[in-house]
Amino acid sequence: MFNLPNLPYAYDALEPTMSAKTLHLHHDKHHAAYVKALNEILSEASQPAASLEDVIRHSAGGGSGAAKLFNNAAQTWNHAFFWEAMSPKTAGPGADLQAAIQSSFGGLAQFREAFIKEGVAHFGSGWVWLVAEGGKLSVKATHDAHDTVTERAVSPLIVCDLWEHAYYLDYQNDRKAYLEAWFDALPNWAFAASQLAAANGNGLPWYFAAPTATAKAA
Ligand code: FE2
């Protein structure tokens, strides 16, 4: 079974940009519910899952029977990635990432504008990502549970959750204010840099922890 990962920081560590109340509900209720539903579906499978990435790839596009599995598997993965993609101590992109942003967007300000614009314009629930593909960086939004795990040529560097549960308590309907505050305070640029290095063949990308035979104690 797959385990709900702990947050890599304290619940109040991202305040005031993201409140402890939001993180408690988002992690302990929403993310936990996806993991629980995923394990319930997988408990009926004949073979144990090897990795969450495999579950996502195998259930993607598998018709209505697989949609519930895909949605819960992908949301389990996306939220774990999202927690890693934030840091209480954001320090700005390092040299390699800065150079990639410069070459792909023209600068950090242009990238910030493109990321926020894409997130604001996205209709309904989903995610906005910074991705590396074919040696270039770009901004990409995905709907609902969809992510980039099914696209082997695409490497996600950071992501921001566009579901209302991510920001409604703190920003109500103002998704733009949420995205602006998020971009300026929370991206984990060190994590993004390590994902970029992995995309370029240096080290391994982040992956979801392998399933265990029984639930790990929280
Ligand atoms: Fe979420």
Side-chain angles (χ1 to χ4, degrees):
M1 67 184 302
F2 291 98
N3 293 284
L4 174 68
N6 293 325
L7 287 179
Y9 29 72
Y11 285 93
D12 62 357
L14 306 184
E15 291 195 339
T17 313
M18 191 174 281
S19 67
K21 190 172 183 187
T22 286
L23 269 183
H24 269 292
L25 287 167
H26 202 170
H27 176 271
D28 304 355
K29 303 294 181 189
H30 290 280
H31 195 187
Y34 294 127
V35 177
K36 182 168 182 280
L38 167 67
N39 285 322
E40 282 170 3
I41 299 166
L42 290 176
S43 70
E44 293 162 14
S46 53
Q47 287 192 329
S51 72
L52 186 56
E53 290 79 7
D54 275 356
V55 174
I56 293 169
R57 290 188 191 112
H58 290 154
S59 59
S64 59
K68 195 174 168 196
L69 175 57
F70 172 81
N71 285 336
N72 286 290
Q75 285 295 77
T76 294
W77 195 97
N78 294 348
H79 282 90
F81 188 93
F82 179 52
W83 310 139
E84 296 296 332
M86 295 189 284
S87 168
K89 292 185 210 146
T90 193
D96 289 352
L97 183 56
Q98 180 75 44
I101 289 171
Q102 187 73 32
S103 122
S104 297
F105 296 99
L108 185 60
Q110 289 90 333
F111 161 50
R112 180 184 186 274
E113 189 182 340
F115 190 87
I116 292 167
K117 191 174 169 192
E118 185 78 29
V120 169
H122 182 78
F123 187 80
S125 297
W127 303 83
V128 59
W129 312 77
L130 171 66
V131 302
E133 182 177 17
K136 269 192 87 70
L137 304 189
S138 61
V139 169
K140 179 184 179 77
T142 57
H143 279 283
D144 301 327
H146 286 267
D147 54 33
T148 64
V149 175
T150 52
E151 301 173 70
R152 286 197 183 268
V154 176
S155 303
L157 308 192
I158 55 169
V159 72
C160 184
D161 191 337
L162 299 177
W163 287 60
E164 286 183 349
H165 65 227
Y167 63 89
Y168 229 77
L169 281 177
D170 298 329
Y171 300 87
Q172 289 78 55
N173 60 321
D174 198 346
R175 186 188 282 181
K176 185 163 187 266
Y178 160 60
L179 279 160
E180 288 174 342
W182 186 91
F183 191 96
D184 292 338
L186 297 187
N188 185 346
W189 297 115
F191 176 75
S194 117
Q195 287 290 102
L196 178 61
N200 292 330
N202 300 313
L204 290 173
W206 179 88
Y207 57 87
F208 196 92
T212 55
T214 53
K216 265 198 270 180

